[in-house]
Amino acid sequence: MERGWLERLQGGDVVLIDGGTGSELRRRGVPMSPEAWSGLAARDNESTLRAIHGDYIRAGADVITTNTFGTSRFVLQSAGLEEQFARLNRLAVGAAQAARADVADRPVAIAGSMSCLPPGFDPESYPARAVERAAYRELAALLADCGVDIIALEMLQDVEHGSLALSAALETGLPVWLGVSARRRDSRLVAYDYPERRLEPVLEALIGLGPTVVNVMHTPIDAVGAALDAAKRHWRGPLGVYPELGSDCAADAPTPEALVECALESVGRGARLIGGCCGSGPEHVAALTEARARLLAARNPSA
Ligand SMILES: [Zn+2]
C-alpha cells in the first residue's frame, strides 16, 4: 500500500494531486453521460482515460484520482446501467493502475473517488436511505478490493448523504479524504449546489466522523480561503485544496498561474495537499510542480 503521501503530509511537506479527470475527458472529446457524467469513459474510452492519468503523473502528481465520481449503483441504475457497476468501477481503477505502472518513476498513490451525486443530478431522486447506504458501502468495498490507496470523498455538501458516504469509506480502513464543496453567497460560505445551506455546520458534523484529511475541493478560487478557515475552526489534521477552475473549460477559466497563486495562499493558511478540480489539466499540475520551491517557502508554521 502506498502511504508515503500521508507521512509526507504529516511531516509538513507539500504533496501534489492531479487536476480534473471528467473535465479533461470532455476536453479530449469524450462524450459525457446525462446521468453518470464521465463514468462510462473507463469502458468506452479507456485509452484516453489512461493517457490523462499518465499525463498527470508526468506533470508531477503524487496522487491520482480514479474516474469513479459518478458510478455508484443508484446513479448507474438511473442510466439503465446497473449491471455494469462492478465492471465500470474495476476498469476505472485499472486505468489508473495501468498508467501508474507505465509512467511512474516515483511513489504515486491512487485515490478512489466517491461522491453523493444524486441520480440524474436531481436531489429529489435519492433512493431510500438503506439503499443509499448499501450503495456507498458496496462502492467503497469494491474500490478497496481493487487496491486503491485512499478513498477520496468528493463534493460533499450535506450531513444527510455525506455522513452515509463518509461512514462507508471509513469502514474500509483506508485513509479517507473528506472533500467538501462551497461557494460564496453575499458574505456567507454556502454549499456549492445549495446556496441556502451554510457549509460550516456540515463541515463540523462530518469532521466529527474522523476523516484522515479534509479537502476544500470543487470550490471557486474566491471561496477557498473562507472554506479553509471554516475547516480549521473544527479540524487540526492535514488539509488540502483543489479548486474548481470552471467545469466547461471556458476560455476565461483561471490560468495555471491563477491556480499557483491560490495554492500559495492556501499553503500559507495551512493546506499541504494541493491540486486542481474541474477545468484544470496537466498544464496546471505542471505549473504547481514548477512552483514547488515557492509553495514550500509559503508554508506558515503558525497557520
Ligand atoms: Zn470538480
Side-chain angles (χ1 to χ4, degrees):
M1 187 186 300
E2 178 48 58
R3 297 190 73 129
W5 66 273
L6 183 55
E7 283 150 22
R8 286 177 54 199
L9 267 196
Q10 288 167 338
D13 199 1
V14 171
V15 174
L16 296 185
I17 60 177
D18 56 7
T21 304
S23 61
E24 187 65 15
L25 283 163
R26 182 154 67 176
R27 189 167 79 159
R28 297 187 191 197
V30 171
M32 298 289 112
S33 153
E35 294 88 6
W37 195 45
S38 64
L40 306 187
R43 183 192 67 184
D44 299 340
N45 303 89
E46 197 270 347
S47 62
T48 306
L49 177 60
R50 192 152 31 97
I52 289 169
H53 288 312
D55 288 348
Y56 279 128
I57 294 170
R58 285 190 197 91
D62 303 304
V63 185
I64 57 172
T65 312
T66 62
N67 184 46
T68 50
F69 176 85
T71 47
S72 69
R73 182 175 291 277
F74 59 79
V75 169
L76 292 176
Q77 192 172 30
S78 74
L81 292 164
E82 186 183 358
E83 81 289 350
Q84 300 276 316
F85 167 79
R87 181 180 176 213
L88 278 171
N89 285 292
R90 287 189 183 281
L91 285 171
V93 178
Q97 290 169 328
R100 176 170 66 180
D102 286 350
V103 173
D105 55 3
R106 63 188 188 283
V108 171
I110 294 176
S113 169
M114 280 180 55
S115 74
C116 297
L117 181 70
F121 297 88
D122 176 7
E124 304 298 316
S125 297
Y126 279 108
R129 195 165 170 82
V131 173
E132 185 184 0
R133 182 197 308 272
Y136 297 138
R137 294 179 77 177
E138 178 185 38
L139 178 53
L142 187 141
L143 291 170
D145 184 59
C146 289
V148 302
D149 305 297
I150 299 153
I151 305 281
L153 295 165
E154 301 198 287
M155 282 198 81
L156 266 48
Q157 303 178 56
D158 65 18
V159 179
E160 183 186 359
H161 305 287
S163 63
L164 294 181
L166 178 53
S167 299
L170 289 166
E171 283 175 22
T172 64
L174 290 171
V176 172
W177 293 357
L178 164 59
V180 296
S181 296
R183 64 170 73 237
R184 297 179 76 97
R185 175 59 58 100
D186 304 322
S187 60
R188 295 176 311 144
L189 184 73
V190 297
Y192 186 90
D193 288 315
Y194 307 98
E196 76 287 355
R197 182 181 303 144
R198 287 181 57 235
L199 185 78
E200 187 162 340
V202 176
L203 260 172
E204 182 178 14
L206 295 178
I207 282 172
L209 296 179
T212 315
V213 177
V214 175
N215 287 330
V216 172
M217 55 80 56
H218 197 86
T219 291
I221 282 177
D222 71 357
V224 164
L228 276 178
D229 288 347
K232 283 160 62 179
R233 286 191 279 274
H234 307 282
W235 173 251
R236 298 200 169 278
L239 279 168
V241 167
Y242 54 110
E244 171 206 45
L245 301 186
S247 52
D248 297 332
C249 311
D252 60 351
T255 60
E257 290 69 33
L259 178 62
V260 169
E261 288 304 316
C262 174
L264 288 166
E265 190 180 323
S266 299
V267 166
R269 288 178 193 261
R272 294 290 179 270
L273 188 62
I274 301 289
C277 200
C278 301
S280 64
E283 68 275 24
H284 293 81
V285 176
L288 292 172
T289 299
E290 196 160 317
R292 180 168 176 78
R294 291 164 67 203
L295 290 168
L296 292 173
R299 290 177 296 177
N300 176 0
S302 62

